[in-house]
Amino acid sequence: PYPTLFRSIAYATCCLGCLELDRNDHHQAQQWFKATLDIALNRGIKRHIFEAFYYLALSRWLNGELNAALLLLPDLIKQSKKNEWCSLLACALSAAAGDLAVAQQLFERAAVLTKDTQILYTPFSMELYSGHLDLAGNDVPLASKKLVTTCLQPSVENSTRTLPEASFDMRFAAGLLFLALSEEEQQRVWTELLFARQQSLVVAQD
C-alpha cells in the first residue's frame, strides 16, 4: 500500500502546484513542485519526477525567471529521453538560449515519443512548442500564427470552450509562447484574440 500512497501524495501535490500556477501564484506553485520533486526522487516515482522538473522549470520561466529555468535544462534533457513534455520544454529553453541544433533534436525526440499518442491536444502542444523554434529562426509571424490558431481551437467538436480554456497544460504552453514574443508582438496577438472574443491566455490575466 505504501508505494500507492506516495504516488497519490505526489500526484495531489503536483496538482496543487498546477492550481497555484494557473492563479499566477508562481512562488507558491514552485513550493508545491519542489515538494513533488522531493517525494518523487525519494520514492523513485518516475512519472512525478518528469512532472516536477517540467512544471518547476515552466513556472520559473512563466514568472520571468528564464535564467533560473535554464538551470534545470540539464535535468530536463536527462528526463526527456522518456518524457515528451520534458523534451518539449527542454527544446524551448534550448531555443531561448540560442542552441537551435539541440532544440531541434529535442523536438524531434518529442515527436517520436508522441507518435502513437491518443491524447487530443498533443498535436497542438507540439505546434505551440514548435513556435519556439520558429522564434529562434526569426520567423515571428509563423510563431504568432500558431499561437493564435491554437488559442481559438475548440476543445472538442462544436464546443464553445477552446483548448486553452479546457486544459492546464495548453494554457501554460500558450502562455509560454506568448511570453517569448516581443512586447509589440504580444500586443498584436492579444488584440487579435480580443477581437475573436478569446481571453484564455494565462499570462494576460494579470
Side-chain angles (χ1 to χ4, degrees), residues 61 66 70 73 86-98 103-104 106-107 128-133 136 176-177 180:
W61 196 355
L66 176 57
L70 284 168
L73 182 56
C86 288
S87 293
L88 290 171
L89 187 54
C91 161
L93 283 168
S94 297
Q104 186 64 51
L106 288 162
F107 186 82
L128 287 172
Y129 276 102
S130 72
H132 294 273
L133 295 175
L176 197 61
L177 183 53

mmCIF file of all heavy atoms in Angstrom, residues 61 66 70 73 86-98 103-104 106-107 128-133 136 176-177 180:
data_model
loop_
_atom_site.group_PDB
_atom_site.id
_atom_site.type_symbol
_atom_site.label_atom_id
_atom_site.label_comp_id
_atom_site.label_asym_id
_atom_site.label_seq_id
_atom_site.Cartn_x
_atom_site.Cartn_y
_atom_site.Cartn_z
ATOM 1 N N TRP A 61 10.007 30.022 -15.705
ATOM 2 C CA TRP A 61 10.033 30.790 -16.963
ATOM 3 C C TRP A 61 8.801 31.690 -17.078
ATOM 4 O O TRP A 61 8.902 32.854 -17.459
ATOM 5 C CB TRP A 61 10.124 29.830 -18.137
ATOM 6 C CG TRP A 61 10.527 30.485 -19.431
ATOM 7 C CD1 TRP A 61 10.708 31.827 -19.662
ATOM 8 C CD2 TRP A 61 10.815 29.830 -20.671
ATOM 9 N NE1 TRP A 61 11.087 32.037 -20.972
ATOM 10 C CE2 TRP A 61 11.151 30.838 -21.609
ATOM 11 C CE3 TRP A 61 10.792 28.508 -21.074
ATOM 12 C CZ2 TRP A 61 11.474 30.537 -22.929
ATOM 13 C CZ3 TRP A 61 11.120 28.209 -22.388
ATOM 14 C CH2 TRP A 61 11.456 29.210 -23.304
ATOM 15 N N LEU A 66 13.923 33.276 -16.546
ATOM 16 C CA LEU A 66 14.466 32.400 -17.584
ATOM 17 C C LEU A 66 15.784 31.770 -17.144
ATOM 18 O O LEU A 66 16.014 30.573 -17.361
ATOM 19 C CB LEU A 66 14.654 33.170 -18.893
ATOM 20 C CG LEU A 66 15.309 32.401 -20.047
ATOM 21 C CD1 LEU A 66 14.524 31.136 -20.377
ATOM 22 C CD2 LEU A 66 15.432 33.285 -21.281
ATOM 23 N N LEU A 70 16.676 27.865 -16.886
ATOM 24 C CA LEU A 70 17.783 27.255 -17.628
ATOM 25 C C LEU A 70 18.669 26.389 -16.737
ATOM 26 O O LEU A 70 19.313 25.456 -17.224
ATOM 27 C CB LEU A 70 18.626 28.341 -18.305
ATOM 28 C CG LEU A 70 18.013 28.974 -19.558
ATOM 29 C CD1 LEU A 70 18.782 30.220 -19.965
ATOM 30 C CD2 LEU A 70 17.976 27.969 -20.710
ATOM 31 N N LEU A 73 17.739 22.908 -17.164
ATOM 32 C CA LEU A 73 17.820 22.344 -18.510
ATOM 33 C C LEU A 73 18.544 20.994 -18.547
ATOM 34 O O LEU A 73 18.059 20.057 -19.196
ATOM 35 C CB LEU A 73 18.478 23.340 -19.472
ATOM 36 C CG LEU A 73 18.590 22.901 -20.934
ATOM 37 C CD1 LEU A 73 17.231 22.520 -21.513
ATOM 38 C CD2 LEU A 73 19.228 24.022 -21.775
ATOM 39 N N CYS A 86 9.051 16.940 -21.011
ATOM 40 C CA CYS A 86 10.402 17.395 -20.699
ATOM 41 C C CYS A 86 11.179 17.686 -21.984
ATOM 42 O O CYS A 86 11.946 18.648 -22.052
ATOM 43 C CB CYS A 86 11.133 16.350 -19.855
ATOM 44 S SG CYS A 86 10.530 16.238 -18.155
ATOM 45 N N SER A 87 10.955 16.872 -23.019
ATOM 46 C CA SER A 87 11.605 17.105 -24.316
ATOM 47 C C SER A 87 11.187 18.445 -24.896
ATOM 48 O O SER A 87 12.019 19.223 -25.377
ATOM 49 C CB SER A 87 11.248 15.994 -25.308
ATOM 50 O OG SER A 87 11.787 14.768 -24.926
ATOM 51 N N LEU A 88 9.886 18.727 -24.837
ATOM 52 C CA LEU A 88 9.372 19.960 -25.433
ATOM 53 C C LEU A 88 9.855 21.197 -24.692
ATOM 54 O O LEU A 88 10.241 22.194 -25.308
ATOM 55 C CB LEU A 88 7.845 19.919 -25.470
ATOM 56 C CG LEU A 88 7.241 18.931 -26.469
ATOM 57 C CD1 LEU A 88 5.737 18.810 -26.270
ATOM 58 C CD2 LEU A 88 7.559 19.352 -27.902
ATOM 59 N N LEU A 89 9.831 21.143 -23.366
ATOM 60 C CA LEU A 89 10.283 22.316 -22.611
ATOM 61 C C LEU A 89 11.793 22.495 -22.750
ATOM 62 O O LEU A 89 12.281 23.631 -22.866
ATOM 63 C CB LEU A 89 9.890 22.175 -21.138
ATOM 64 C CG LEU A 89 10.154 23.421 -20.283
ATOM 65 C CD1 LEU A 89 9.492 24.661 -20.879
ATOM 66 C CD2 LEU A 89 9.671 23.204 -18.856
ATOM 67 N N ALA A 90 12.531 21.397 -22.769
ATOM 68 C CA ALA A 90 13.973 21.485 -22.995
ATOM 69 C C ALA A 90 14.263 22.057 -24.382
ATOM 70 O O ALA A 90 15.208 22.832 -24.563
ATOM 71 C CB ALA A 90 14.615 20.112 -22.848
ATOM 72 N N CYS A 91 13.439 21.704 -25.357
ATOM 73 C CA CYS A 91 13.548 22.265 -26.703
ATOM 74 C C CYS A 91 13.372 23.788 -26.658
ATOM 75 O O CYS A 91 14.182 24.536 -27.220
ATOM 76 C CB CYS A 91 12.506 21.628 -27.614
ATOM 77 S SG CYS A 91 12.144 22.553 -29.122
ATOM 78 N N ALA A 92 12.321 24.242 -25.983
ATOM 79 C CA ALA A 92 12.036 25.680 -25.923
ATOM 80 C C ALA A 92 13.140 26.429 -25.190
ATOM 81 O O ALA A 92 13.561 27.515 -25.611
ATOM 82 C CB ALA A 92 10.691 25.911 -25.244
ATOM 83 N N LEU A 93 13.637 25.857 -24.091
ATOM 84 C CA LEU A 93 14.710 26.506 -23.339
ATOM 85 C C LEU A 93 15.998 26.553 -24.153
ATOM 86 O O LEU A 93 16.710 27.573 -24.136
ATOM 87 C CB LEU A 93 14.945 25.758 -22.023
ATOM 88 C CG LEU A 93 13.924 26.020 -20.912
ATOM 89 C CD1 LEU A 93 14.093 25.006 -19.786
ATOM 90 C CD2 LEU A 93 14.051 27.437 -20.375
ATOM 91 N N SER A 94 16.292 25.479 -24.860
ATOM 92 C CA SER A 94 17.487 25.463 -25.702
ATOM 93 C C SER A 94 17.383 26.509 -26.804
ATOM 94 O O SER A 94 18.366 27.198 -27.127
ATOM 95 C CB SER A 94 17.697 24.071 -26.312
ATOM 96 O OG SER A 94 17.913 23.111 -25.310
ATOM 97 N N ALA A 95 16.189 26.647 -27.381
ATOM 98 C CA ALA A 95 15.974 27.670 -28.410
ATOM 99 C C ALA A 95 16.163 29.062 -27.821
ATOM 100 O O ALA A 95 16.784 29.934 -28.450
ATOM 101 C CB ALA A 95 14.576 27.523 -29.003
ATOM 102 N N ALA A 96 15.643 29.281 -26.606
ATOM 103 C CA ALA A 96 15.795 30.586 -25.956
ATOM 104 C C ALA A 96 17.252 30.888 -25.647
ATOM 105 O O ALA A 96 17.672 32.052 -25.647
ATOM 106 C CB ALA A 96 14.969 30.626 -24.672
ATOM 107 N N ALA A 97 18.033 29.832 -25.391
ATOM 108 C CA ALA A 97 19.457 30.002 -25.092
ATOM 109 C C ALA A 97 20.293 30.124 -26.362
ATOM 110 O O ALA A 97 21.517 30.318 -26.291
ATOM 111 C CB ALA A 97 19.957 28.827 -24.254
ATOM 112 N N GLY A 98 19.645 29.998 -27.528
ATOM 113 C CA GLY A 98 20.343 30.156 -28.797
ATOM 114 C C GLY A 98 20.950 28.885 -29.355
ATOM 115 O O GLY A 98 21.688 28.939 -30.347
ATOM 116 N N ALA A 103 17.911 22.235 -29.764
ATOM 117 C CA ALA A 103 16.456 22.424 -29.672
ATOM 118 C C ALA A 103 15.732 21.576 -30.706
ATOM 119 O O ALA A 103 14.717 20.932 -30.406
ATOM 120 C CB ALA A 103 16.108 23.900 -29.855
ATOM 121 N N GLN A 104 16.244 21.542 -31.923
ATOM 122 C CA GLN A 104 15.627 20.751 -32.985
ATOM 123 C C GLN A 104 15.694 19.264 -32.669
ATOM 124 O O GLN A 104 14.719 18.525 -32.874
ATOM 125 C CB GLN A 104 16.337 21.028 -34.313
ATOM 126 C CG GLN A 104 15.687 20.355 -35.510
ATOM 127 C CD GLN A 104 14.287 20.859 -35.777
ATOM 128 O OE1 GLN A 104 14.050 22.052 -35.862
ATOM 129 N NE2 GLN A 104 13.336 19.937 -35.924
ATOM 130 N N LEU A 106 15.753 17.892 -29.712
ATOM 131 C CA LEU A 106 14.824 17.606 -28.625
ATOM 132 C C LEU A 106 13.384 17.601 -29.120
ATOM 133 O O LEU A 106 12.565 16.800 -28.662
ATOM 134 C CB LEU A 106 15.008 18.638 -27.506
ATOM 135 C CG LEU A 106 16.296 18.472 -26.702
ATOM 136 C CD1 LEU A 106 16.616 19.739 -25.929
ATOM 137 C CD2 LEU A 106 16.182 17.277 -25.754
ATOM 138 N N PHE A 107 13.083 18.486 -30.066
ATOM 139 C CA PHE A 107 11.733 18.494 -30.634
ATOM 140 C C PHE A 107 11.474 17.204 -31.399
ATOM 141 O O PHE A 107 10.385 16.619 -31.301
ATOM 142 C CB PHE A 107 11.536 19.702 -31.550
ATOM 143 C CG PHE A 107 10.129 19.840 -32.049
ATOM 144 C CD1 PHE A 107 9.153 20.426 -31.263
ATOM 145 C CD2 PHE A 107 9.769 19.366 -33.304
ATOM 146 C CE1 PHE A 107 7.841 20.539 -31.705
ATOM 147 C CE2 PHE A 107 8.476 19.474 -33.758
ATOM 148 C CZ PHE A 107 7.500 20.065 -32.956
ATOM 149 N N LEU A 128 2.547 24.426 -30.484
ATOM 150 C CA LEU A 128 2.942 25.575 -29.672
ATOM 151 C C LEU A 128 4.439 25.563 -29.385
ATOM 152 O O LEU A 128 5.112 26.596 -29.499
ATOM 153 C CB LEU A 128 2.156 25.596 -28.358
ATOM 154 C CG LEU A 128 0.688 25.996 -28.450
ATOM 155 C CD1 LEU A 128 0.003 25.782 -27.104
ATOM 156 C CD2 LEU A 128 0.542 27.447 -28.889
ATOM 157 N N TYR A 129 4.964 24.411 -29.017
ATOM 158 C CA TYR A 129 6.392 24.362 -28.704
ATOM 159 C C TYR A 129 7.254 24.516 -29.957
ATOM 160 O O TYR A 129 8.376 25.029 -29.875
ATOM 161 C CB TYR A 129 6.726 23.076 -27.942
ATOM 162 C CG TYR A 129 6.468 23.216 -26.465
ATOM 163 C CD1 TYR A 129 5.329 22.675 -25.876
ATOM 164 C CD2 TYR A 129 7.346 23.926 -25.652
ATOM 165 C CE1 TYR A 129 5.083 22.829 -24.512
ATOM 166 C CE2 TYR A 129 7.105 24.094 -24.297
ATOM 167 C CZ TYR A 129 5.967 23.539 -23.739
ATOM 168 O OH TYR A 129 5.731 23.709 -22.393
ATOM 169 N N SER A 130 6.735 24.123 -31.103
ATOM 170 C CA SER A 130 7.494 24.355 -32.340
ATOM 171 C C SER A 130 7.598 25.847 -32.632
ATOM 172 O O SER A 130 8.503 26.285 -33.351
ATOM 173 C CB SER A 130 6.840 23.635 -33.525
ATOM 174 O OG SER A 130 5.628 24.269 -33.926
ATOM 175 N N GLY A 131 6.694 26.622 -32.047
ATOM 176 C CA GLY A 131 6.765 28.074 -32.206
ATOM 177 C C GLY A 131 8.051 28.659 -31.647
ATOM 178 O O GLY A 131 8.545 29.688 -32.135
ATOM 179 N N HIS A 132 8.622 28.013 -30.624
ATOM 180 C CA HIS A 132 9.895 28.494 -30.072
ATOM 181 C C HIS A 132 11.024 28.279 -31.072
ATOM 182 O O HIS A 132 11.969 29.083 -31.131
ATOM 183 C CB HIS A 132 10.194 27.779 -28.758
ATOM 184 C CG HIS A 132 9.227 28.111 -27.666
ATOM 185 N ND1 HIS A 132 9.379 29.201 -26.824
ATOM 186 C CD2 HIS A 132 8.068 27.515 -27.278
ATOM 187 C CE1 HIS A 132 8.379 29.252 -25.965
ATOM 188 N NE2 HIS A 132 7.569 28.244 -26.223
ATOM 189 N N LEU A 133 10.929 27.209 -31.859
ATOM 190 C CA LEU A 133 11.910 27.005 -32.930
ATOM 191 C C LEU A 133 11.757 28.082 -33.999
ATOM 192 O O LEU A 133 12.752 28.581 -34.536
ATOM 193 C CB LEU A 133 11.735 25.616 -33.548
ATOM 194 C CG LEU A 133 12.032 24.417 -32.648
ATOM 195 C CD1 LEU A 133 11.681 23.119 -33.373
ATOM 196 C CD2 LEU A 133 13.487 24.407 -32.218
ATOM 197 N N ALA A 136 13.345 31.217 -32.730
ATOM 198 C CA ALA A 136 14.808 31.117 -32.798
ATOM 199 C C ALA A 136 15.305 31.299 -34.222
ATOM 200 O O ALA A 136 16.424 31.773 -34.447
ATOM 201 C CB ALA A 136 15.269 29.776 -32.244
ATOM 202 N N LEU A 176 3.505 30.395 -22.369
ATOM 203 C CA LEU A 176 4.953 30.410 -22.526
ATOM 204 C C LEU A 176 5.364 30.968 -23.886
ATOM 205 O O LEU A 176 6.300 31.770 -23.982
ATOM 206 C CB LEU A 176 5.487 28.985 -22.363
ATOM 207 C CG LEU A 176 6.982 28.845 -22.098
ATOM 208 C CD1 LEU A 176 7.368 29.540 -20.800
ATOM 209 C CD2 LEU A 176 7.362 27.375 -22.034
ATOM 210 N N LEU A 177 4.665 30.552 -24.932
ATOM 211 C CA LEU A 177 4.980 31.076 -26.258
ATOM 212 C C LEU A 177 4.658 32.563 -26.338
ATOM 213 O O LEU A 177 5.412 33.343 -26.929
ATOM 214 C CB LEU A 177 4.207 30.303 -27.336
ATOM 215 C CG LEU A 177 4.489 30.691 -28.789
ATOM 216 C CD1 LEU A 177 5.978 30.649 -29.110
ATOM 217 C CD2 LEU A 177 3.717 29.787 -29.746
ATOM 218 N N ALA A 180 7.401 34.552 -24.821
ATOM 219 C CA ALA A 180 8.629 34.577 -25.614
ATOM 220 C C ALA A 180 8.588 35.613 -26.735
ATOM 221 O O ALA A 180 9.623 35.944 -27.316
ATOM 222 C CB ALA A 180 8.893 33.196 -26.199
#
